[in-house]
Amino acid sequence: MPMIFSESTLESFRNILHCPSLQIFAHTDWGSNNPSHRELLRAEIQKHTSGTTLYHSVSHTHDLGMFALCEFPIGVDLEITLRVQDKVVARISTDEELRIAPNPSALWCAKEACFKALKTFEQPSVVSRISVGDWKKIDSQTETFALLNSTDFKSSSEGRGIVRQISQWSFCFFVIPS
């Protein structure tokens, strides 16, 4: 599958997330429509992390799977943008978060990516405990955000995240630099 993100976009993500080692891999074979997607993803992750100290995170939809690698704790989420509805996101978000988020899919992905990155700290038992905000528009497809209540989870930093919408998908990457 061709690269989802250009090298210049990936470099921009690395700068925004303060993660020079960030690598992103995506493939249609890793989508859940493929009964072997989990085994394929595990094998690919093992190939790229063997002998390294990189953190990784995985996400998939029916037709696409991805993982990211970074020297810091990382969380990723991938969603079909139109699949995420206001009423579903409202169950895990405050009214203020819904009001200031760029769209429901961006908010959902941001909370999911933060949740995954927090597994190396004190990951909450429910995603609704995660508070995100400080949204900044980078361009028509890209927004950044922060984890606002990082101290609740004994995180070393509030971290920074980025949501990028391409075609029908919303991609999110969240890193907690040390």
Side-chain angles (χ1 to χ4, degrees):
M1 172 173 196
M3 285 182 55
I4 297 234
F5 303 107
S6 68
E7 190 55 43
S8 65
T9 298
L10 187 54
E11 193 57 38
S12 171
F13 288 6
R14 289 175 179 140
N15 290 333
I16 290 167
L17 299 173
H18 306 290
C19 182
S21 68
L22 179 66
Q23 300 173 60
I24 301 168
F25 303 88
H27 202 286
T28 54
D29 285 349
W30 303 338
S32 59
N33 283 337
N34 180 347
S36 302
H37 76 281
R38 291 186 194 280
E39 293 82 23
L40 292 171
L41 269 164
R42 271 190 224 107
E44 195 67 23
I45 291 167
Q46 179 62 34
K47 184 170 88 177
H48 291 281
T49 59
S50 182
T52 72
T53 57
L54 295 174
Y55 292 88
H56 72 277
S57 184
V58 177
S59 189
H60 58 81
T61 65
H62 298 305
D63 55 353
L64 184 66
M66 74 167 189
F67 69 95
L69 305 174
C70 181
E71 73 261 33
F72 305 118
I74 185 169
V76 302
D77 196 42
L78 166 63
E79 298 292 339
I80 297 171
T81 304
L82 295 177
R83 189 172 160 258
V84 182
Q85 301 296 312
D86 285 342
K87 66 182 179 179
V88 174
V89 179
R91 292 187 303 203
I92 64 164
S93 306
T94 66
D95 290 342
E96 176 67 6
E97 285 176 314
L98 285 166
R99 187 183 65 71
I100 64 172
N103 59 59
S105 184
L107 181 55
W108 180 275
C109 288
K111 286 192 169 228
E112 286 286 325
C114 288
F115 181 81
K116 291 176 181 181
L118 286 168
K119 72 183 173 192
T120 59
F121 299 96
E122 285 190 14
Q123 188 181 51
S125 57
V126 291
V127 175
S128 59
R129 286 205 41 228
I130 293 170
S131 179
V132 298
D134 191 25
W135 291 95
K136 292 184 175 52
K137 188 177 189 88
I138 302 298
D139 59 39
S140 64
Q141 298 175 298
T142 312
E143 305 267 350
T144 64
F145 66 93
L147 172 62
L148 301 179
N149 60 336
S150 60
T151 57
D152 292 354
F153 313 112
K154 302 204 176 7
S155 170
S156 56
S157 139
E158 74 175 14
R160 202 73 198 150
I162 191 163
V163 177
R164 176 83 179 221
Q165 298 191 322
I166 299 175
S167 188
Q168 74 262 27
W169 297 295
S170 293
F171 297 86
C172 184
F173 308 92
F174 179 77
V175 172
I176 304 172
S178 45

